[in-house]
């Protein structure tokens, strides 16, 4: 049971490569664009293992969260909330959230402040770790309402641990935006995380977006990052 200031994405629909610090940077793989995840704020999360492998979890969060505030009243008044529930299988209790196969259902209240209607959706994530070094994944999402970026999305890819701590990742996704009469988008990303020292990581990466729905000038956009560095102790 967890209560306090939190990022809902740390608990809901998580998988092993869900970290912009150490893995994919594109929102197509870093989060699920077919989910109306609120910002960091006040929330409540609980998880229960029914057996050694099967679990249920869920949470309630302030849908108008502000990372600079801690407004418990917003959570207790029963309005402007984001709810989610998840059922799944995991190889061990320690691997959740992350290494698991799960189905997530979420609901967000109507938000007059943002002008979004009541929205809901489903997400499926299949991301079991294989042979301790391979991290394949398949993620699918569907949203009903206008609170998300994408109406439908699927993403497939993998990560593989090389040497002692290096990580190579490759993924592609397809998404249909919520906005009507917009073209669907393809996104791909490739990265290689190099463990330079015990504390320093360098991660060159390349992102390719094909047919961006809100950019009629360019059909293909390339984004390269060569200086992403992480120092951790």
């Amino acid at each position: 049971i967890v209560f306090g200031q939190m990022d809902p994405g740390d608990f809901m629909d998580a998988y092993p490569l869900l970290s912009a610090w150490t893995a994919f940077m594109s929102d197509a793989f870093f989060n699920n664009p077919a989910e109306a995840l609120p910002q960091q704020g006040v929330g409540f999360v609980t998880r229960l293992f029914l057996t050694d492998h099967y679990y249920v979890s869920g949470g309630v969060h302030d849908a108008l969260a502000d990372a600079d505030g801690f407004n418990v009243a917003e959570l207790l008044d029963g309005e402007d909330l984001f709810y989610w529930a998840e059922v799944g299988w995991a190889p061990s209790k320690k691997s959740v959230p992350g290494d698991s196969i799960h189905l997530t259902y979420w609901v967000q209240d109507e938000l007059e402040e943002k002008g979004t209607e009541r929205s809901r959706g489903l997400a499926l994530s299949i991301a079991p770790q294989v042979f301790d070094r391979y991290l394949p994944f398949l993620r699918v999402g569907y949203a009903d309402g206008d609170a998300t970026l994408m109406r439908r999305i699927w993403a497939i890819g993998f990560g593989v641990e090389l040497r002692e701590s290096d990580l190579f990742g490759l993924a592609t996704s397809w998404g249909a935006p919520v906005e009507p009469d917009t073209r669907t988008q393809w996104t791909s990303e490739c990265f290689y995380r190099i463990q330079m020292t015990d504390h320093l990581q360098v991660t060159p990466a390349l992102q390719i977006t094909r047919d961006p729905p809100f950019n009629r000038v360019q059909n293909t956009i390339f984004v390269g990052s060569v200086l992403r560095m992480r120092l951790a102790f």
Side-chain angles (χ1 to χ4, degrees), residues 10-233:
D10 290 341
F11 301 91
M12 167 191 164
D13 192 23
Y15 78 112
L17 298 176
L18 186 69
S19 172
W21 293 347
T22 60
F24 295 103
M25 293 185 67
S26 171
D27 194 58
F29 315 109
F30 169 50
N31 278 315
N32 188 330
E35 294 172 346
L37 279 172
Q39 298 184 32
Q40 179 179 333
V42 178
F44 172 84
V45 170
T46 183
R47 182 184 306 120
L48 172 66
F49 269 84
L50 306 176
T51 70
D52 289 340
H53 300 288
Y54 292 94
Y55 71 91
V56 294
S57 60
V60 182
H61 307 268
D62 178 9
L64 295 173
D66 182 353
D68 296 328
F70 188 77
N71 194 341
V72 179
E74 291 290 339
L75 193 68
L76 298 179
D77 67 8
E79 298 180 358
D80 299 334
L81 298 180
F82 177 85
Y83 317 81
W84 62 274
E86 185 172 292
V87 294
W89 176 93
S92 69
K93 296 180 179 180
K94 293 182 179 180
S95 64
V96 178
D99 178 12
S100 66
I101 300 172
H102 60 255
L103 181 67
T104 308
Y105 175 72
W106 61 268
V107 178
Q108 180 177 279
D109 290 338
E110 178 184 3
L111 303 179
E112 294 184 4
E113 182 174 317
K114 291 187 175 182
T116 59
E117 62 188 9
R118 181 178 174 87
S119 303
R120 58 185 179 177
L122 280 172
L124 172 67
S125 177
I126 303 174
Q129 188 168 354
V130 181
F131 301 125
D132 295 329
R133 60 177 299 195
Y134 299 101
L135 303 167
F137 66 87
L138 170 65
R139 289 165 61 78
V140 180
Y142 172 78
D144 179 23
D146 62 358
T148 61
L149 292 174
M150 294 291 176
R151 178 78 64 199
R152 301 184 304 277
I153 191 171
W154 61 258
I156 188 170
F158 69 92
V160 55
E161 296 179 356
L162 303 172
R163 299 198 307 171
E164 292 185 1
S165 300
D166 289 5
L167 179 66
F168 172 77
L170 178 65
T172 189
S173 77
W174 172 90
V178 169
E179 292 292 332
D181 302 323
T182 53
R183 58 186 180 179
T184 58
Q185 173 178 299
W186 287 88
T187 304
S188 299
E189 182 174 352
C190 177
F191 72 87
Y192 188 86
R193 190 187 72 205
I194 307 168
Q195 193 73 37
M196 303 292 291
T197 69
D198 289 343
H199 305 290
L200 177 64
Q201 295 175 344
V202 177
T203 311
L206 175 65
Q207 300 177 43
I208 303 174
T209 301
R210 180 67 180 172
D211 296 331
F214 303 111
N215 187 334
R216 295 295 183 178
V217 178
Q218 295 174 283
N219 291 324
T220 304
I221 298 175
F222 297 88
V223 177
S225 58
V226 295
L227 294 176
R228 179 166 47 141
M229 302 176 67
R230 179 172 182 256
L231 189 64
F233 296 92

